[in-house]
Amino acid sequence: MSVLQRLLRSPEGAIGLAILCLLAATAMSAGAFFPRDPLSIVGPALVPPFSDMAFPLGTDRLGRDVLAELVHGSRASLMVGIAAAAVALVVGALVGTLAGFAGGLIDEALMRIVDAFQVVPAFLLALAFVSVAGASLPVVVLAIALGAWTAPARLARAEVLSIRERDYVAAARVIGMRPLEIALREVLPNALAPVLALSSVIVASSVLIEAALSFLGLSDPNIVTWGSMIAEGRNVLRSAPFLSIVPGIALMLTVLGVYLFSEGLGQALAGRKART
Amino acid sequence: MTPLLARISGLSVSYRADRDAAPALDGIDLDIVAGERLAIIGESGSGKSTLALAVAGLLPRSAVVDGRIDWPAYGKAPLPGRDYGFVFQDAGASLNPVLTVGEQIAEVAERHLGVGWFEAFGRARELLERVRIPDPDAALGAYPHQLSGGQRQRVCIAAAICARPKLLIADEPTSALDMVVQAEIVSLLDELVREDGMTLLFITHDIALASGFADRIAVFHKARLVEAGSTFDTLAHPAQPYTASLIANHIDLDTPPLVSAGPA
Amino acid sequence: MNAPLLSAAGISKTYSGASRRVAALDNASIAVMRGETLGLVGPSGSGKSTLARVLLRLIEPDAGTIDFDGADLLAQRGERLRRTRRRIQMVFQDPLAAFNPRATVASALDDPLRIHGMGGREGRQAIAAGLLERVGLDPALASRTIHEISGGQRQRVAIARAIATGPDLIVLDEAVSALDVSVRAKILELLVDLQREREIAYVFVSHDLAVVRAIAHRVAVMDAGRVVEQGSASDVVANPSSPTARALVDAVPRLAARPGNS
């Protein structure tokens, strides 16, 4: 049975995958359903949700369509979350593999750098980086990755340290494989499974950090994000709480979907391991 | 005729996880006579370990079991620890790493002999001496990782015979050990079983090792019982070609060398 | 008498733990002639596996010298060492652990050929098929993963990998200890055939003196990191002079009876 089949068989995996697919479909079809700039003013201000079918989720203070903003916002949230997690995983896995495989001084030096990054809270790091480098999408991605690569680095290093002692690594040395090829072909792929399991946690926290940065106004002002929508709604929280609640629910659903998916994936991978 | 300890009739076991796969045991009929030393011999996949687990009632819940095991000597299913002792292959994994050796043996004594903690420790010390652990007083307070593989297996044997069970089941107790330690452990088992009049069920892949002390041997192959009989008769006149091939493939110091004296 | 293919002299290796120092190897010396099998026997912890791994440069000794075919093995680095590696190979005890969990039979055999530049892609496939046939396997197994084949087949693939680069010496670390007796007999036969055919020397590490006696020309008995006795296999078994060798001889289980001579 494939991993995908096993994933779909567990309720967590199936629900998580469904939520993520729905989100991805939403993000990709945003341009088709709402071709207009989501930041353009389309109607009266502060229309409550479900009162006017032209604006199913109502309008904000400036008369912008909340649904259009929400759909377009999913793009930014997902893209930033996934891109930041990908950068963090690639950098973390490479640094961890290198440290674990090289050992000695290189290991010491790399791990102290990891320590240095880990003592600063990830959000503060991102905040400082964005305020210095200016708010644009690539900067936000980098800023979030800056605080997220340390956990995969540590995990990859621990895995590599154990794999390094296995017979098949000794066998690769005996047949004359070069150290770099051993690290990348024999060690890294086998150390990756637990590191990948971490990816969902990183995606989820990246989405949240991105939202928090936008909430503080530290994101590209020309792009709608769920964080900036919540911030925008804050001004009229008493009279129109839905402006903050709607993107908040979207945010919660995304994080929930990612977590459920990772839970299901973890079970599916564990099932495969138990079988062999 | 000596009394029967257990009668296995028509025993089949399959593991539910792979229903299409061949059963682990297929229609086994075998008697265990009280006081005998019975060796179960088989290669990997023969079902020998499944038989040990089935006799001990330790099969996983998911196993599908057919047939029956009767216990005329007990009148009911035997209780682990009290009615039979079990020695596993991996002594390291069957001991609790966070309890001292003394605590683990004394726990068995306390539970099955109904004695107090102090007395149980006394019994543990006495047993460690019996299984010939050097410096039993120090071993009482030692943790499993501080002992060698052979000593850990001695501790497991001590715990297994603690409650003076009638039956001792040993599942490949020496295959993780080197040959010198293996010989010591086997002679220890043999001696303990003789002294206490226990029945021994010894599971092994090594027909020569079993032949050194077993009264009877039962040869298993691919989930079936190939043949069973007295050790001497079975070795001298194997009724089945499989048994004959096991004997022929055995390598001991009488086997003609495969290479001539000098290098080619 | 010719010079030995490999001679290791005065090899020492000490591991320092938190509380104590353990001498894994203590001034151990062995020599192997071309085309000869040297049995390395001893109880667990005697240092035989450590010595085997020192010969393969998997463990660096603290002291000692190794001469391999007239060159100083321990001085070799980088490319020079990699060229020598093609001539010294190894077979491990657990064939499942000795292959990358993702490996297929084909990729496991392709690696050494590719690394040492033996043939183009198609040439290597043909060589691999020939190797599989030589060790008694169907070349069609090449597409299987290592997980999908039996333990005996895996050890044959391991042997095929070891002979792929045409080595002069193969170190076999308990290579038949985990196998069923019928499989073991066939693997030993295969090893002996390959040795006759290609003049490969073996260092055969085992705790089982009976198996060592069956396959080795000479035996070195180890205990506590030292070589305590050396001699022809039949002499060591017939007249063990050290207590370690005596204990190993006594520990070999004997069949209580055999068909035909009861």
Side-chain angles (χ1 to χ4, degrees), chain B residues 69-93:
Chain B
I69 304 178
D70 296 301
W71 297 91
Y74 298 117
K76 59 177 173 54
L79 202 67
R82 193 190 67 194
D83 296 329
Y84 71 83
F86 202 108
V87 181
F88 293 90
Q89 172 177 347
D90 187 351

Side-chain angles (χ1 to χ4, degrees), chain B residues 177-218:
Chain B
L177 307 171
D178 72 46
M179 284 218 149
V180 176
V181 180
Q182 163 171 290
E184 289 168 8
I185 294 285
V186 165
S187 83
L188 172 69
L189 277 175
D190 188 35
E191 178 191 309
L192 293 172
V193 167
R194 255 177 226 281
E195 284 174 5
D196 292 6
M198 276 185 288
T199 309
L200 175 67
L201 192 63
F202 189 87
I203 286 90
T204 180
H205 63 276
D206 189 336
I207 195 166
L209 182 66
S211 80
F213 68 99
D215 303 311
R216 272 201 316 145
I217 60 179

Side-chain angles (χ1 to χ4, degrees), chain A residues 139-216:
Chain A
V139 168
V140 170
V141 167
L142 265 180
I144 296 171
L146 217 53
W149 66 277
T150 51
R154 275 191 185 285
L155 196 60
R157 175 175 174 271
E159 278 294 306
V160 167
L161 283 182
S162 116
I163 289 175
R164 202 175 64 164
E165 302 302 321
R166 308 261 170 97
D167 277 353
Y168 64 84
V169 174
R173 287 174 65 191
V174 167
I175 61 171
M177 204 179 269
R178 289 176 174 77
L180 190 67
E181 191 182 354
I182 295 180
L184 295 182
R185 270 197 56 204
E186 305 287 309
V187 177
L188 184 61
N190 293 304
L192 225 48
V195 179
L196 283 181
L198 202 64
S199 66
S200 54
V201 181
I202 298 179
V203 170
S205 74
S206 300
V207 168
L208 288 176
I209 291 182
E210 189 277 333
L213 285 174
S214 310
F215 181 80
L216 295 178

